[in-house]
Every structure is written in C-alpha cells, then in structure tokens.
Amino acid sequence: MSLTPSNMLPLGTVAPAFSLIDAVSQKKLSLDAMKGDKGTVIMFICNHCPFVVHVNPEISRLAKAYQSKGIGFIAISSNDIINYPDDAPELMKLKAKEADYTFPYLYDETQEVAKAYDAACTPDFYLFDEHLKLVYRGQLDDSRPGNDIPLSGIDLRNAIDALLNKEAINPIQKPSIGCNIKWKTP
C-alpha cells in the first residue's frame, strides 16, 4: 500500500461529463442523470484499499444523510482489475451491498474518468455545486486506519453543509490520503 495524496483539482473546475456502467444495476449511467439538485459528491474508491475499507461506514452514513437534501453521491472505481482482481465489477456489486451503498458504484474500465478528474488515490473526494463547479476536494476527515481518530466525515460534512446553506466553503482544504489508483500498464 503506497501512501498517495490527492492532486487537488483547482476549485471552480467544471465536472467532466461521463457515462459508466453501474456494477450493481449493470446500467450505463451519466453524470447528468445522477447529479444532485443542490450538489454532487464524486468519490474515487475501490474494494480492496484499507483506507476505503476504513471510511466505508462513514460514506454510507453521509449518503443516507444528504441524498434526501438534494446531494447526489457517485462512487467510481478506476483500478486495473487485471493486476487487482479484487476490484472487478462483480466484486464491486458485492461490496456495494455489504457496505450498504445507496448510490451508484461505477466501473471506469478505460481509466479515462479518473484521468479527467486528476484522481490520484482511493478514497479521493470531490464536491460540486448545483452547476457542477468544484467547491471542495480533499479528505473526508483526519481519521486513517490505525490512527485512533474517530471517523466523522467532518471535512466533507462541513463543505456539504456550507453548500446547502449557501455559505462560503473554506478554500483551505486538506488532500485525501490513500492507496494510489492502480493504473494500467501499457
């Protein structure tokens, strides 16, 4: 496991459009069809990363707390499944059920979506406003596997709350830390 920080896409960036297969429903879903009325959280995650396994309970709680308030949640796995078969779509479907995801868990087979978002690690979090402009990117909170800091989602929660309340979002944002995205080798 290599410790990799987010690349921190510039605030104000418009979310790149995409259509990917949802591992659960097997349907092709577009960003436009999944975005929330008031904002959208896009998360790059995977099945096997210990950092993602650690935050799964909180991302499930966050989605359940905010989807009814107009925030869309989308999870994407972009890992190379040839070298990392634990991240294959059929296992993504099982993970989504096990982790009680109430949001789509999409497979980015070509890795083009991860590249378009300049995603670097799992988990990597992005919050876009109702116009799909980036207002937050970075960590869920300070909790990491083994550091004994309770999982709270406070950084992302604060950003979502500010967005919903039409308040300024603190531009000083900490990068997420996790396993690097498993890029395909040419």
Side-chain angles (χ1 to χ4, degrees), residues 38 43 48 77 83 95 113 121 128 143-144 149 158 161:
K38 296 181 179 173
M43 308 169 275
H48 83 277
S77 178
N83 292 308
K95 178 58 78 175
V113 177
C121 60
F128 295 89
S143 183
R144 305 286 184 268
I149 296 173
N158 285 344
D161 286 340

PDB file of all heavy atoms in Angstrom, residues 38 43 48 77 83 95 113 121 128 143-144 149 158 161:
ATOM      1  N   LYS A  38     -28.842  19.999  -5.667  1.00  0.00           N
ATOM      2  CA  LYS A  38     -28.125  21.043  -4.936  1.00  0.00           C
ATOM      3  C   LYS A  38     -26.621  20.832  -4.886  1.00  0.00           C
ATOM      4  O   LYS A  38     -25.881  21.727  -4.488  1.00  0.00           O
ATOM      5  CB  LYS A  38     -28.678  21.154  -3.519  1.00  0.00           C
ATOM      6  CG  LYS A  38     -30.129  21.591  -3.522  1.00  0.00           C
ATOM      7  CD  LYS A  38     -30.688  21.741  -2.143  1.00  0.00           C
ATOM      8  CE  LYS A  38     -32.141  22.197  -2.221  1.00  0.00           C
ATOM      9  NZ  LYS A  38     -32.759  22.191  -0.905  1.00  0.00           N
ATOM     10  N   MET A  43     -16.791  10.249  -5.617  1.00  0.00           N
ATOM     11  CA  MET A  43     -15.748   9.593  -4.837  1.00  0.00           C
ATOM     12  C   MET A  43     -15.051   8.552  -5.698  1.00  0.00           C
ATOM     13  O   MET A  43     -15.726   7.720  -6.311  1.00  0.00           O
ATOM     14  CB  MET A  43     -16.351   8.850  -3.640  1.00  0.00           C
ATOM     15  CG  MET A  43     -17.253   9.666  -2.766  1.00  0.00           C
ATOM     16  SD  MET A  43     -18.168   8.630  -1.582  1.00  0.00           S
ATOM     17  CE  MET A  43     -19.567   8.130  -2.589  1.00  0.00           C
ATOM     18  N   HIS A  48     -10.576  -3.011  -2.353  1.00  0.00           N
ATOM     19  CA  HIS A  48      -9.542  -3.615  -1.509  1.00  0.00           C
ATOM     20  C   HIS A  48      -8.711  -2.631  -0.680  1.00  0.00           C
ATOM     21  O   HIS A  48      -8.076  -3.046   0.281  1.00  0.00           O
ATOM     22  CB  HIS A  48      -8.602  -4.473  -2.367  1.00  0.00           C
ATOM     23  CG  HIS A  48      -7.526  -3.692  -3.049  1.00  0.00           C
ATOM     24  ND1 HIS A  48      -7.715  -3.038  -4.237  1.00  0.00           N
ATOM     25  CD2 HIS A  48      -6.253  -3.436  -2.668  1.00  0.00           C
ATOM     26  CE1 HIS A  48      -6.591  -2.432  -4.578  1.00  0.00           C
ATOM     27  NE2 HIS A  48      -5.697  -2.654  -3.656  1.00  0.00           N
ATOM     28  N   SER A  77     -14.822   3.286  -9.340  1.00  0.00           N
ATOM     29  CA  SER A  77     -13.582   2.524  -9.206  1.00  0.00           C
ATOM     30  C   SER A  77     -12.893   2.523 -10.566  1.00  0.00           C
ATOM     31  O   SER A  77     -13.494   2.136 -11.566  1.00  0.00           O
ATOM     32  CB  SER A  77     -13.840   1.092  -8.756  1.00  0.00           C
ATOM     33  OG  SER A  77     -12.613   0.385  -8.675  1.00  0.00           O
ATOM     34  N   ASN A  83      -4.432  -6.700 -12.733  1.00  0.00           N
ATOM     35  CA  ASN A  83      -3.450  -6.852 -11.663  1.00  0.00           C
ATOM     36  C   ASN A  83      -4.065  -6.782 -10.264  1.00  0.00           C
ATOM     37  O   ASN A  83      -3.418  -7.152  -9.286  1.00  0.00           O
ATOM     38  CB  ASN A  83      -2.341  -5.812 -11.812  1.00  0.00           C
ATOM     39  CG  ASN A  83      -1.497  -6.083 -13.037  1.00  0.00           C
ATOM     40  OD1 ASN A  83      -0.998  -7.185 -13.226  1.00  0.00           O
ATOM     41  ND2 ASN A  83      -1.376  -5.089 -13.907  1.00  0.00           N
ATOM     42  N   LYS A  95     -19.496  -5.657  -2.815  1.00  0.00           N
ATOM     43  CA  LYS A  95     -19.035  -4.635  -1.856  1.00  0.00           C
ATOM     44  C   LYS A  95     -20.114  -3.576  -1.634  1.00  0.00           C
ATOM     45  O   LYS A  95     -20.335  -3.132  -0.507  1.00  0.00           O
ATOM     46  CB  LYS A  95     -17.740  -3.994  -2.350  1.00  0.00           C
ATOM     47  CG  LYS A  95     -17.188  -2.892  -1.472  1.00  0.00           C
ATOM     48  CD  LYS A  95     -16.903  -3.348  -0.044  1.00  0.00           C
ATOM     49  CE  LYS A  95     -15.626  -4.122   0.043  1.00  0.00           C
ATOM     50  NZ  LYS A  95     -15.272  -4.483   1.434  1.00  0.00           N
ATOM     51  N   VAL A 113     -12.026   8.484 -16.897  1.00  0.00           N
ATOM     52  CA  VAL A 113     -12.729   9.371 -15.968  1.00  0.00           C
ATOM     53  C   VAL A 113     -11.785   9.775 -14.831  1.00  0.00           C
ATOM     54  O   VAL A 113     -11.701  10.951 -14.471  1.00  0.00           O
ATOM     55  CB  VAL A 113     -14.028   8.721 -15.440  1.00  0.00           C
ATOM     56  CG1 VAL A 113     -14.704   9.619 -14.420  1.00  0.00           C
ATOM     57  CG2 VAL A 113     -14.974   8.427 -16.599  1.00  0.00           C
ATOM     58  N   CYS A 121      -5.824   8.928  -5.717  1.00  0.00           N
ATOM     59  CA  CYS A 121      -5.840   7.934  -4.647  1.00  0.00           C
ATOM     60  C   CYS A 121      -7.255   7.450  -4.371  1.00  0.00           C
ATOM     61  O   CYS A 121      -8.228   8.006  -4.865  1.00  0.00           O
ATOM     62  CB  CYS A 121      -5.231   8.514  -3.377  1.00  0.00           C
ATOM     63  SG  CYS A 121      -6.072   9.984  -2.724  1.00  0.00           S
ATOM     64  N   PHE A 128     -19.201  19.029  -5.909  1.00  0.00           N
ATOM     65  CA  PHE A 128     -19.565  20.005  -6.937  1.00  0.00           C
ATOM     66  C   PHE A 128     -20.890  20.658  -6.564  1.00  0.00           C
ATOM     67  O   PHE A 128     -21.758  20.014  -5.982  1.00  0.00           O
ATOM     68  CB  PHE A 128     -19.693  19.315  -8.299  1.00  0.00           C
ATOM     69  CG  PHE A 128     -18.390  18.743  -8.799  1.00  0.00           C
ATOM     70  CD1 PHE A 128     -18.014  17.451  -8.471  1.00  0.00           C
ATOM     71  CD2 PHE A 128     -17.535  19.508  -9.569  1.00  0.00           C
ATOM     72  CE1 PHE A 128     -16.807  16.925  -8.918  1.00  0.00           C
ATOM     73  CE2 PHE A 128     -16.314  18.986 -10.020  1.00  0.00           C
ATOM     74  CZ  PHE A 128     -15.957  17.694  -9.690  1.00  0.00           C
ATOM     75  N   SER A 143      -9.333  10.930  10.142  1.00  0.00           N
ATOM     76  CA  SER A 143      -9.234   9.526  10.542  1.00  0.00           C
ATOM     77  C   SER A 143      -8.554   8.703   9.447  1.00  0.00           C
ATOM     78  O   SER A 143      -8.865   8.855   8.265  1.00  0.00           O
ATOM     79  CB  SER A 143     -10.627   8.960  10.829  1.00  0.00           C
ATOM     80  OG  SER A 143     -10.549   7.636  11.280  1.00  0.00           O
ATOM     81  N   ARG A 144      -7.628   7.859   9.869  1.00  0.00           N
ATOM     82  CA  ARG A 144      -6.936   6.939   8.967  1.00  0.00           C
ATOM     83  C   ARG A 144      -6.868   5.582   9.660  1.00  0.00           C
ATOM     84  O   ARG A 144      -6.908   5.509  10.900  1.00  0.00           O
ATOM     85  CB  ARG A 144      -5.505   7.410   8.664  1.00  0.00           C
ATOM     86  CG  ARG A 144      -5.379   8.822   8.116  1.00  0.00           C
ATOM     87  CD  ARG A 144      -5.808   8.945   6.662  1.00  0.00           C
ATOM     88  NE  ARG A 144      -5.585  10.282   6.147  1.00  0.00           N
ATOM     89  CZ  ARG A 144      -6.465  11.265   6.160  1.00  0.00           C
ATOM     90  NH1 ARG A 144      -7.652  11.073   6.684  1.00  0.00           N
ATOM     91  NH2 ARG A 144      -6.190  12.450   5.654  1.00  0.00           N
ATOM     92  N   ILE A 149      -8.178   8.155  15.470  1.00  0.00           N
ATOM     93  CA  ILE A 149      -9.056   9.324  15.366  1.00  0.00           C
ATOM     94  C   ILE A 149     -10.410   8.812  14.874  1.00  0.00           C
ATOM     95  O   ILE A 149     -10.480   8.110  13.862  1.00  0.00           O
ATOM     96  CB  ILE A 149      -8.480  10.389  14.400  1.00  0.00           C
ATOM     97  CG1 ILE A 149      -7.167  10.943  14.962  1.00  0.00           C
ATOM     98  CG2 ILE A 149      -9.491  11.501  14.153  1.00  0.00           C
ATOM     99  CD1 ILE A 149      -6.429  11.869  14.007  1.00  0.00           C
ATOM    100  N   ASN A 158     -18.806  19.434   6.586  1.00  0.00           N
ATOM    101  CA  ASN A 158     -18.791  20.900   6.687  1.00  0.00           C
ATOM    102  C   ASN A 158     -18.955  21.543   5.319  1.00  0.00           C
ATOM    103  O   ASN A 158     -19.667  22.546   5.170  1.00  0.00           O
ATOM    104  CB  ASN A 158     -17.514  21.389   7.365  1.00  0.00           C
ATOM    105  CG  ASN A 158     -17.518  21.149   8.864  1.00  0.00           C
ATOM    106  OD1 ASN A 158     -18.558  20.895   9.464  1.00  0.00           O
ATOM    107  ND2 ASN A 158     -16.348  21.230   9.476  1.00  0.00           N
ATOM    108  N   ASP A 161     -22.602  21.002   4.174  1.00  0.00           N
ATOM    109  CA  ASP A 161     -23.499  21.888   4.933  1.00  0.00           C
ATOM    110  C   ASP A 161     -23.386  23.332   4.459  1.00  0.00           C
ATOM    111  O   ASP A 161     -24.399  24.023   4.295  1.00  0.00           O
ATOM    112  CB  ASP A 161     -23.196  21.802   6.437  1.00  0.00           C
ATOM    113  CG  ASP A 161     -23.679  20.503   7.057  1.00  0.00           C
ATOM    114  OD1 ASP A 161     -24.567  19.829   6.468  1.00  0.00           O
ATOM    115  OD2 ASP A 161     -23.167  20.144   8.144  1.00  0.00           O
TER     116      ASP A 161
END
